[in-house]
Amino acid sequence: MAHDPQSNATQSGRTLIRNIGLMLSGDIGQPVLSANAILVEDGLIAGIGTAEELGAGVNATVIDANGCVVTPGLIDNHVHPAAGDWTPRQNQIGWIDSTLHGGVTTIISAGEAHYPGRPKDIVGVKALGIASQRAFANFRPGGMKIIAGAPVLEPGMTEADFRELADAGVTLIGEVGLGGVKDGPTGRQMIAWARKYGMTSMTHTGGPSIPGSGRIGADVVIEVDADVIAHVNGGPTALPDDEIRRICEESPRALEIVHNGNLRTGLFVLDIARKRDELGRVVLGTDGPAGSGVQPLGILRTICHLASLGDVPTETAFCFATGNTARVRNLRDRGLIEIGRAADLVFMDQAAGGIGDGFLESLALGNLPGIGMIMIDGEVRTARSRNTPPAMRVPEVIA
């Protein structure tokens, strides 16, 4: 299976992207940028403006966007990797590479809970977390950025264990509730230790999802106080509306809406966040691979669902899977079209043959877009997506 070693190295050289029809920033404070060109240098965004401004005197490869929309690479805040590009949940190979073709350039583990024979003793929990972090730091199918090594909490872990994990490079904690820790006081103490050492965390929300997990209701979610309220719309079983409302109103933490959850509850959560002017709390995940399968287009589908049914602008919905997630997860090097950020970019357009006058309206009416190119760290990784419908316009490398 072909893959690229993960590193902090970026693509050398310069690339000028011109004739961008619409630039979505990923920043919920300013979702649309008034610019039609991006200059990329050594894998980073070096300039945003017009082609005339950025291209003057610059010796660069040129990509003509041909009027396409350009967005930051999408971030899936909730996946369950196991070993390489194989998922034991569905016995399927290639799900990560296929996810890249859905416009996702970064995936974040919510716990390696599907690992066959997952150890539950403390030494094993730490060993699996460190090994997963190491392995996925060196494994990049299609160039995908994989942040993994998210230990599932078990009783008996101490502050020293979290310090050891952090010292080894682990930056995540898996969903509280997938393992033996299911109560508020224990979860809160462990999450506080994790936060002390720079890790971000999640808590399961809803009914049991896999054998060994349990129902995690509003009281526990609020008390645990993890950074992300994972699948607040159910993973896959959602809590009653009164508990959902309590979580949204009493906790200040990120509200994660997932593809593999309850869509009605997801819209309920979005409506609460919108009315409270707290859309900056909303992040997106797939919660896959799962019993419902692998969803390479899960993040795009969720964006379309929320834009078409949730009374939020399409450009705002894209922020849920880009800048919002980057901020919550402390990813200061990606998630926005901004000078100094990684040139992780997706070129999209309205799907051919569909309804709507242009890209934004097409998605607002529920249609998926077509992807014409994906760039990671300034390097073109795909041309036309093999998973999305054909785009009306696609970019072209012309020089």
Side-chain angles (χ1 to χ4, degrees):
M1 185 185 305
H3 69 277
D4 303 297
Q6 180 114 312
S7 72
N8 293 323
T10 54
Q11 181 74 2
S12 61
R14 291 178 172 177
T15 300
L16 177 65
I17 305 166
R18 68 187 191 192
N19 292 334
I20 297 171
L22 175 67
M23 195 181 301
L24 302 185
S25 70
D27 180 358
I28 201 161
Q30 186 184 2
V32 177
L33 296 178
S34 297
N36 62 17
I38 299 172
L39 180 65
V40 177
E41 292 185 356
D42 298 330
L44 302 177
I45 297 172
I48 302 168
T50 68
E52 292 74 22
E53 294 169 342
L54 302 179
V58 172
N59 182 20
T61 299
V62 176
I63 295 177
D64 190 333
N66 288 322
C68 288
V69 178
V70 175
T71 77
L74 305 180
I75 304 171
D76 187 339
N77 187 64
H78 195 132
V79 299
H80 290 288
D85 209 351
W86 168 66
T87 167
R89 193 73 188 270
Q90 296 294 337
N91 195 25
Q92 184 171 333
I93 293 175
W95 70 275
I96 296 175
D97 180 72
S98 201
T99 296
L100 174 68
H101 281 259
V104 176
T105 58
T106 295
I107 57 177
I108 303 174
S109 176
E112 291 76 41
H114 303 159
Y115 193 91
R118 175 173 62 86
K120 298 181 181 180
D121 63 290
I122 295 173
V123 171
V125 167
K126 292 188 293 185
L128 178 58
I130 294 168
S132 296
Q133 186 274 329
R134 294 283 196 279
F136 284 104
N138 293 307
F139 181 73
R140 293 187 63 175
M144 177 73 80
K145 296 176 176 178
I146 305 167
I147 307 174
V152 175
L153 300 184
E154 297 291 350
M157 296 182 74
T158 67
E159 180 176 352
D161 295 316
F162 291 89
R163 182 171 60 246
E164 180 183 349
L165 286 164
D167 288 345
V170 173
T171 61
L172 307 173
I173 294 297
E175 295 176 63
V176 178
L178 291 184
V181 175
K182 297 180 175 66
D183 65 286
T186 304
R188 185 180 185 88
Q189 177 62 81
M190 291 187 179
I191 291 305
W193 286 331
R195 191 172 285 132
K196 177 179 178 179
Y197 294 106
M199 303 177 190
T200 61
S201 57
M202 314 175 80
T203 183
H204 182 87
T205 310
S209 59
I210 59 174
S213 66
R215 183 188 192 275
I216 304 296
D219 288 340
V220 174
V221 169
I222 293 166
E223 184 168 11
V224 167
D225 194 36
D227 298 294
V228 177
I229 301 165
H231 46 60
V232 67
N233 61 321
T237 306
L239 295 171
D241 285 358
D242 60 339
E243 292 193 64
I244 296 294
R245 183 174 291 280
R246 277 194 59 211
I247 290 170
C248 294
E249 294 180 350
E250 295 180 27
S251 170
R253 301 300 181 179
L255 301 168
E256 182 191 67
I257 299 173
V258 299
H259 180 273
N260 289 344
N262 182 317
L263 176 58
R264 188 203 68 85
T265 303
L267 293 170
F268 180 66
V269 169
L270 183 66
D271 188 59
I272 293 172
R274 182 179 58 80
K275 289 177 178 176
R276 290 171 59 88
D277 194 24
E278 293 179 344
L279 291 176
R281 293 173 62 192
V282 178
V283 299
L284 304 185
T286 54
D287 193 11
S292 55
V294 173
Q295 299 84 24
L297 302 182
I299 295 297
L300 275 180
R301 284 175 53 81
T302 305
I303 289 171
C304 286
H305 285 156
L306 299 183
S308 60
L309 302 173
D311 197 22
V312 296
T314 301
E315 58 269 28
T316 298
F318 270 93
C319 299
F320 303 157
T322 53
N324 280 9
T325 308
R327 185 187 67 255
V328 169
R329 292 298 198 163
N330 299 323
L331 304 178
R332 297 180 179 87
D333 62 343
R334 70 196 80 172
L336 300 175
I337 294 183
E338 180 180 78
I339 292 174
R341 300 263 178 165
D344 299 346
L345 304 171
V346 184
F347 297 72
M348 307 185 196
D349 197 27
Q350 178 178 1
I355 57 175
D357 183 14
F359 177 86
L360 296 178
E361 184 176 320
S362 176
L363 271 70
L365 292 172
N367 275 342
L368 286 169
I371 293 176
M373 181 181 287
I374 298 170
M375 174 181 284
I376 299 178
D377 288 331
E379 180 179 353
V380 174
R381 288 294 187 163
T382 78
R384 282 185 184 268
S385 167
R386 65 173 183 259
N387 290 330
T388 65
M392 291 182 64
R393 292 170 290 191
V394 296
E396 179 184 8
V397 180
I398 62 172

